[in-house]
Amino acid sequence: MDRKELYLKTMFCCMSCDGEIAQIEVERIKSMASQTDFFNGMDIEAILNEYVSSINKDGILFLKRYLSYLSETNLTQEEEMGIVDLSFKIIESDNIIKYSEVKFFKKIRARLSISDEQIFAKYPEKEDFLLPDIQVNEDPKWDNVVFGEIKFADHVG
């Protein structure tokens, strides 16, 4: 998986880890893709729907595979900070931060080599995301979750 796909999968995992995908989260990805050329050449909607199909089929295992891949991938500090940036942007995009999202971020954080100090220097208001108050090996808790197809709205809100 290339870095673009890793970043997109990071955003998808962060928006699905709470058992729901808010349209505003989808629109945030669309907006980010249209405001930068980083995702040029990618059919983001199609890729997100592939992820939906996979997570509907595999459930929590989809998230575990992402985390496992993240553990095994050699990323630069800049790329790791990119993962952190995108995670925060998606988690906060619906203005509702659930503990399951914070917990999933902590799972991501546990697989990165950048320091808490580096993250805190850029995001001083994110202390709750960095506090060591959970077991990072716990699985997310959702039962019988099935996500619908992702469709980009005609306008960005």
Side-chain angles (χ1 to χ4, degrees):
M1 158 180 352
D2 68 14
R3 296 302 179 246
K4 291 179 184 183
E5 188 175 350
L6 176 61
Y7 287 160
L8 188 58
K9 189 171 267 188
T10 295
M11 291 187 288
F12 177 80
C13 289
C14 286
M15 74 179 181
S16 63
C17 70
D18 62 354
E20 60 184 278
I21 296 174
Q23 186 62 33
I24 196 164
E25 294 168 326
V26 173
E27 292 303 318
R28 180 69 187 254
I29 291 175
K30 178 183 176 188
S31 174
M32 289 167 58
S34 68
Q35 292 173 3
T36 129
D37 62 357
F38 188 75
F39 293 112
N40 277 358
M42 295 177 74
D43 185 345
I44 295 173
E45 189 172 349
I47 294 169
L48 290 175
N49 281 306
E50 288 175 23
Y51 295 160
V52 166
S53 178
S54 293
I55 201 168
N56 284 342
K57 183 173 114 276
D58 299 333
I60 300 299
L61 186 57
F62 179 90
L63 299 175
K64 285 182 171 184
R65 282 190 200 121
Y66 161 78
L67 293 169
S68 177
Y69 181 83
L70 193 58
S71 295
E72 298 164 3
T73 302
N74 187 19
L75 300 170
T76 67
Q77 286 191 352
E78 182 179 329
E79 290 168 332
E80 288 188 0
M81 191 56 82
I83 297 276
V84 170
D85 291 338
L86 293 171
S87 298
F88 285 152
K89 285 178 182 169
I90 291 303
I91 289 169
E92 295 177 336
S93 64
D94 63 357
N95 294 316
I96 300 169
I97 300 173
K98 295 181 179 173
Y99 184 68
S100 58
E101 295 169 315
V102 174
K103 190 169 158 178
F104 189 75
F105 175 80
K106 290 179 182 193
K107 291 174 180 290
I108 291 171
R109 167 67 196 98
R111 288 154 175 86
L112 303 176
S113 63
I114 57 174
S115 69
D116 286 348
E117 290 76 24
Q118 289 170 292
I119 297 170
F120 198 65
K122 186 168 183 179
Y123 295 102
E125 73 285 0
K126 302 291 190 249
E127 185 178 17
D128 288 349
F129 284 84
L130 301 174
L131 293 174
D133 62 347
I134 65 152
Q135 295 294 322
V136 294
N137 58 355
E138 292 177 350
D139 289 337
K141 306 279 188 237
W142 24 278
D143 297 314
N144 302 319
V145 172
V146 176
F147 297 107
E149 182 179 7
I150 291 177
K151 294 188 187 285
F152 287 159
D154 292 335
H155 61 80
V156 177

